[in-house]
Amino acid sequence: MFHWHDTLRHNVLLRNDSSGANLAFTEVSESVGVDDAGWGWGTTFLDADNDGDLDLAVTNGFFSNQWPADESRFFQNDGGSPVTFSDVSAAVGFNDTFWGSSLIALDFDRDGDLDLIQACADGGPLRLLENQRSGQALLNSYLVVQPRLSGANHWAIGSTVRVRVGSTWMSRALLAGSSLLGQEPAEAFFGLGTTSMVDEVVVEWPDGTTTTITDVAANQIIEVVAPGTVPAASAWGCIVAGLALLASGTVMFRRHGSGASVSVATR
């Protein structure tokens, strides 16, 4: 859980240390390096380089003169244990000073990596940030899992998807309202590093039952339908416009808008 704590003027990251029914959270923002992330309107964890570690993007800004240059932030997961993050905002170009509100991650062009959409308030633009991987990140694999149900909850909101690669488990929850004023697609995106096969995919449905699939090939989208569900075509999309952004060593974002497609990143 990541949010802004106004009283103490710093951001808060609460690590889930729960065990069974015993809930416990520990505030670790300073130790992991994300305590100074700005206002923090829209935030999203995403695996931008498909290496299996979640990075963090934060959109900031405010109309008040008290926050004249509250830049957006991008924190790259260092991949170690314990988990730490490095602020690479300036290096990747995600340091705009718009009054950003919503921020969501999605693979809008279905090329196997997560892009960003940033909605800006106070007359600001709607920005589409296209992820342009390169180097090792371009070689990394992914898997998208789309749980589906019959009835009103066709998108299976409230489900949890877990995947296992060797002894490593990764988990994603399908939520309604994943960012301030924004909703990410009802699907679970996993960066897999260099693996070509997922040993196990487990979907826990909202009613507590589970569906398990084994030996799933990487680099594909799979739809997992609950028992008794009538399959339906799933589609999602969005119309976007905006400006350009980002690039950092292994991940680049290109801007779109007004018919232009211009790289603004340097290496």
Side-chain angles (χ1 to χ4, degrees):
M1 180 186 297
F2 182 80
H3 71 98
W4 165 257
H5 193 300
D6 185 61
T7 303
L8 300 178
R9 298 294 185 183
H10 73 96
N11 301 90
V12 174
L13 177 62
L14 299 177
R15 186 184 64 207
N16 191 339
D17 292 328
S18 302
S19 177
N22 298 318
L23 297 180
F25 294 87
T26 304
E27 207 288 275
V28 296
S29 60
E30 184 175 2
S31 64
V32 305
V34 297
D35 58 308
D36 183 20
W39 191 273
W41 292 104
T43 64
T44 185
F45 284 97
L46 72 156
D47 188 351
D49 49 8
N50 288 358
D51 64 352
D53 301 316
L54 289 176
D55 310 299
L56 174 63
V58 183
T59 186
N60 297 310
F62 200 56
F63 67 89
S64 170
N65 290 333
Q66 183 180 359
W67 304 90
D70 190 20
E71 299 177 352
S72 293
R73 299 291 187 85
F74 191 91
F75 295 92
Q76 187 172 36
N77 192 315
D78 297 325
S81 180
V83 174
T84 58
F85 294 84
S86 295
D87 184 347
V88 297
S89 310
V92 303
F94 189 46
N95 59 346
D96 65 271
T97 56
F98 290 110
W99 179 8
S101 53
S102 185
L103 184 69
I104 64 172
L106 77 169
D107 185 3
F108 88 96
D109 50 3
R110 286 304 191 205
D111 64 349
D113 53 35
L114 288 173
D115 313 292
L116 293 171
I117 292 181
Q118 177 192 27
C120 299
D122 200 28
L126 176 65
R127 312 180 80 204
L128 171 62
L129 289 65
E130 182 186 5
N131 189 339
Q132 295 184 306
R133 291 175 294 151
S134 62
Q136 178 58 49
L138 189 60
L139 303 177
N140 289 340
S141 302
Y142 72 96
L143 180 69
V144 176
V145 182
Q146 297 176 331
R148 296 295 179 256
L149 292 166
S150 289
N153 191 16
H154 169 66
W155 306 108
I157 299 301
S159 298
T160 299
V161 182
R162 295 181 295 135
V163 302
R164 180 177 64 84
V165 177
S167 61
T168 300
W169 284 93
M170 292 178 280
S171 178
R172 306 283 188 269
L174 270 64
L175 306 173
S178 52
S179 179
L180 174 71
L181 304 176
Q183 170 64 49
E184 294 180 340
E187 59 187 34
F189 185 101
F190 296 91
L192 301 175
T194 58
T195 189
S196 60
M197 183 72 66
V198 172
D199 297 307
E200 198 171 357
V201 175
V202 179
V203 177
E204 181 176 342
W205 304 102
D207 65 1
T209 60
T210 61
T211 297
T212 300
I213 305 172
T214 58
D215 299 327
V216 178
N219 298 323
Q220 64 169 324
I221 300 170
I222 64 170
E223 184 178 79
V224 181
V225 179
T229 297
V230 178
S234 61
W236 58 269
C238 57
I239 299 175
V240 293
L243 302 174
L245 245 231
L246 259 201
S248 87
T250 59
V251 179
M252 270 198 311
F253 291 85
R254 183 178 59 186
R255 71 181 174 188
H256 290 252
S258 304
S261 177
V262 182
S263 174
V264 295
T266 57
R267 296 184 167 187

